[in-house]
Amino acid sequence: MKSKITAYCAALLALLVLPFGVLAAWDKLLLGRDFSQAVPADTLSAAGRSNATACTLYNCAHIFGAPAGGDYLTDSWTTTEADSADLAQLTSFLTDLHKAGLLDAAQLRLCLNAANAGPDAAHSLAAPCGLRGYSVQLLRDEPYGYDTLQFYYLENGSPLSLRFYAADPQAFGSCTPDDAFVQTLLQVLGLDSFADWQPAAWRGRAPAIGVAAYSAEAQLYLSVTELEGISFSLTSLTPQDFAALYQEQEVLP
C-alpha cells in the first residue's frame, strides 16, 4: 500500500512539474532560435531576411514584441553590471566612425572618455531577442552636467544605435548630418547593400537638426540627429508603418 501511495505521489509531482519543464524548454528554444529563419517569406524581402540587422529588428518589433526603436528601454530589457565585451564593441564602433570621417579626433576622444568612465558610471543591457546595450552617464564639474552615451548592437556585433549628449556641446563641436553622412553611415553599418535607400525629409519638431532615410526592402528607418552631440538609430518599420509615421508628423505644429 505504501509503495502505491509513493508511486501515486511521484506521478502527481511529475504532472505538476511537467508544465514548468515544457516552459523552460520553450524559453531555451525561443532564446536560442535562428532569427534569420523566423520571418515569414511574405513579410520581408529575401535580402532583408538574409541581413542580420534587418531580420533581427523585424523579429523583435513585429513577432516577439520587443521593439528596438525609440529609447530601446522597454520592459524586455534587463540591466546588468558593465560588461567589458560591450565596452569593446562600443570602442571598436567609435573607432570605425572616426576612420569613416563621421567623428573627428576631438569628438572621438570625448566619446571614448565617456565610454571608459568605469563601472560606477556605466552598465550593460540585454534583450532576449539577441540585442545588447551599453549605457554611460559621466558627471562633469565644468560645466556641471552629464556626458551621456548609449550604444545598442546585435550579439554578432552589428551596431543599431548610438547616442552621445555632451555636457559641453561647444567642446563636442559641430557634427551636422546630411545625406552624405547617411550614406557613409550605412556603409559602416553594413546596410549599403540595400539599393532602395531613399532620403526621408526630416519632419520632426526641429527640422534643422536631423536627416533620415528609409529602405522598404530592408524595412528599416534610419534617423540621424545633432542635438548637443550626435545620435543615430535604426527602427524596423513596415512600408505601412513608415507611411503612417510621416502622415502623423505632417500635422505637427
Side-chain angles (χ1 to χ4, degrees), residues 25 48 63 110 119 127 152 154 172-173 182 186 229:
I63 295 181
L110 283 173
Y152 296 89
L154 299 183
F172 186 78
V182 168
L186 288 173

Side-chain angles (χ1 to χ4, degrees), residues 25 32 54 76 107 110 112 150 202 208:
S76 303
Q107 292 164 345
L110 283 173
L112 288 176
Q150 297 174 336
W202 182 260

Side-chain angles (χ1 to χ4, degrees), residues 106-107 110 143 166-174 228-229:
Q107 292 164 345
L110 283 173
D168 183 4
Q170 291 185 345
F172 186 78
S174 176
E228 300 179 349

Side-chain angles (χ1 to χ4, degrees), residues 163 165 177-179 182 198-214 221-227 231-235 237 242 245-246 249-250 252:
R163 293 169 183 173
Y165 301 118
D178 54 18
D179 291 339
V182 168
Q198 296 293 327
W202 182 260
R203 304 187 191 279
R205 294 182 182 272
I209 66 169
V211 291
Y214 180 71
Y221 178 73
L222 171 65
S223 61
V224 187
T225 61
E226 177 196 24
L227 182 63
S231 170
F232 85 82
S233 63
L234 286 165
T235 305
L237 291 178
F242 174 69
L245 171 68
Y246 269 65
Q249 291 187 348
E250 284 283 3
L252 288 176

Side-chain angles (χ1 to χ4, degrees), residues 13-98:
L13 180 61
L15 289 174
L16 292 173
V17 172
L18 178 61
F20 295 98
V22 171
L23 290 176
W26 173 250
D27 288 343
K28 184 176 181 181
L29 175 63
L30 176 63
L31 299 182
R33 71 186 301 170
D34 182 358
F35 286 94
S36 65
Q37 297 180 14
V39 179
D42 59 348
T43 58
L44 188 62
S45 70
R49 297 196 306 276
S50 65
N51 181 277
T53 300
C55 189
T56 303
L57 288 186
Y58 185 96
N59 276 289
C60 290
H62 305 293
I63 295 181
F64 297 105
D71 63 3
Y72 284 76
L73 299 181
T74 68
D75 292 339
S76 303
W77 289 86
T78 57
T79 303
T80 60
E81 294 183 358
D83 190 308
S84 59
D86 295 326
L87 175 59
Q89 289 287 350
L90 170 57
T91 301
S92 175
F93 181 59
L94 290 171
T95 303
D96 289 343
L97 291 178
H98 174 60

Side-chain angles (χ1 to χ4, degrees), residues 100-119:
L102 302 181
L103 290 176
D104 65 28
Q107 292 164 345
L108 175 65
R109 185 166 57 251
L110 283 173
C111 290
L112 288 176
N113 184 58
N116 290 280

